[in-house]
Amino acid sequence: WARAVRGLLLDVSGVLYDSGGDGGVPIAGSVEAVRRIKASGLKLRFCTNETQATREKFVKKLQGMGFDISVAEVTAPAPAAYRILKERSLRPHLLVHNDLVPEFAEIDKANPNCVVIGDAAENFTYANLNEAFRVLIGMEKPVLISLGRGRYYKETDGLKLDVGAYMKALEYACDVQAEVVGKPAKAFFESALAEMGIPPQEAIMIGDDIVNDVGGAQRCGMRALQVRTGKYRPCDENHPHVKPDAYVNNLAEAVDVLLQQL
């Protein structure tokens, strides 16, 4: 799996660090692994479904942990959703984390004609979900845009429900199919590859999510590895539909193998 590689796409939460209420902690060896990737000359994109903060705030947190990362290197759902809203003249009702709202500051939100849902965390109250439901159910052709469809993720105090669970509730209640922006959407991975300027067969995705990271990347023609960190569980290795090109214990191990091939 490590041959003829020109670029890497790295998931962030669960691969570089475990998030948490205290800001989170780096996964052992990941800071040095990112430094080694950059020193090798390989192209690199950080592909995240993070929707609890703006890219600027998110990157600043990672820099504080010691990671060599810039906003320009991050592919994230909110900026992609912003472009869709602008292109289609959509006015969103936002069901997102308070810290993500600035990403949509320039968008008209009066008289909404769509709902945008992200990982709203504590904002996922019954009242807020019901308000989003009422916006959708009142439309002749409801539009639901979801910033990912993850089932759960890992924080320092354990696993947490992700946006996908709430997205599915609104889909069911409103008889609507969400438009997913972020992993595992093909357009999300294709955008990252275009920014790197390399074809999918010369790129590897490294993630902790068997479906959204690994499966999504493989459907785009990339190789994909699953790390045994973050949300990984041993049952992932018996997944009925997705088989990673390899399992690695962590990002550092993947980089060790990869750089031996260069």
Side-chain angles (χ1 to χ4, degrees):
W1 60 264
R3 298 184 182 276
V5 177
R6 290 176 54 207
L8 293 179
L9 288 74
L10 301 184
D11 181 30
V12 178
S13 179
V15 175
L16 301 188
Y17 85 117
D18 284 326
S19 60
D22 54 356
V25 295
I27 292 170
S30 58
V31 171
E32 176 66 10
V34 170
R35 188 197 65 76
R36 293 178 66 200
I37 292 167
K38 291 197 168 185
S40 74
L42 288 169
K43 295 190 175 183
L44 178 62
R45 293 295 296 181
F46 300 93
C47 294
T48 180
N49 272 4
E50 167 65 41
T51 57
Q52 288 195 13
T54 62
R55 279 189 302 170
E56 288 76 11
K57 187 173 180 179
F58 180 57
V59 165
K60 187 174 181 179
K61 178 175 73 172
L62 291 170
Q63 289 171 341
M65 294 180 188
F67 288 102
D68 180 1
I69 181 174
S70 68
V71 172
E73 295 172 311
V74 176
T75 302
Y82 177 89
R83 289 193 295 271
I84 290 171
L85 295 171
K86 279 288 191 182
E87 289 166 3
R88 292 162 56 180
S89 299
L90 292 171
R91 303 179 304 277
H93 170 83
L94 298 176
L95 179 51
V96 300
H97 196 282
N98 291 341
D99 289 344
L100 192 70
V101 172
E103 291 273 18
F104 301 95
E106 303 302 317
I107 292 283
D108 180 10
K109 304 174 195 66
N111 189 25
N113 57 4
C114 73
V115 167
V116 173
I117 183 173
D119 182 10
E122 285 75 16
N123 281 348
F124 278 135
T125 63
Y126 175 80
N128 287 343
L129 278 165
N130 199 54
E131 188 177 0
F133 159 75
R134 285 177 170 175
V135 171
L136 289 169
I137 206 71
M139 298 178 192
E140 184 178 348
K141 295 182 179 179
V143 176
L144 173 61
I145 296 173
S146 185
L147 307 181
R149 69 175 191 199
R151 296 172 296 165
Y152 55 86
Y153 57 93
K154 184 184 178 185
E155 289 198 340
T156 51
D157 61 347
L159 298 176
K160 302 290 180 73
L161 274 177
D162 204 350
V163 61
Y166 303 96
M167 176 199 83
K168 286 293 185 183
L170 291 174
E171 282 187 331
Y172 176 71
C174 302
D175 193 22
V176 61
Q177 182 76 41
E179 300 176 34
V180 178
V181 180
K183 298 175 290 186
K186 189 175 182 181
F188 185 83
F189 289 106
E190 288 174 342
S191 175
L193 288 168
E195 289 160 350
M196 298 168 74
I198 60 175
Q201 62 269 24
E202 294 180 359
I204 290 178
M205 174 73 200
I206 301 177
D208 68 327
D209 188 315
I210 186 73
V211 174
N212 293 323
D213 294 334
V214 175
Q218 288 178 332
R219 284 194 297 274
C220 289
M222 284 186 275
R223 284 161 279 178
L225 311 183
Q226 187 179 18
V227 292
R228 295 187 177 102
T229 56
K231 71 170 68 172
Y232 163 85
R233 296 189 297 162
C235 64
D236 291 343
E237 302 199 20
N238 298 311
H239 195 279
H241 307 299
V242 182
K243 303 295 179 187
D245 291 88
Y247 292 95
V248 290
N249 288 322
N250 49 45
L251 177 62
E253 181 181 296
V255 171
D256 282 342
V257 175
L258 184 61
L259 295 189
Q260 289 172 11
Q261 299 292 326
L262 295 182

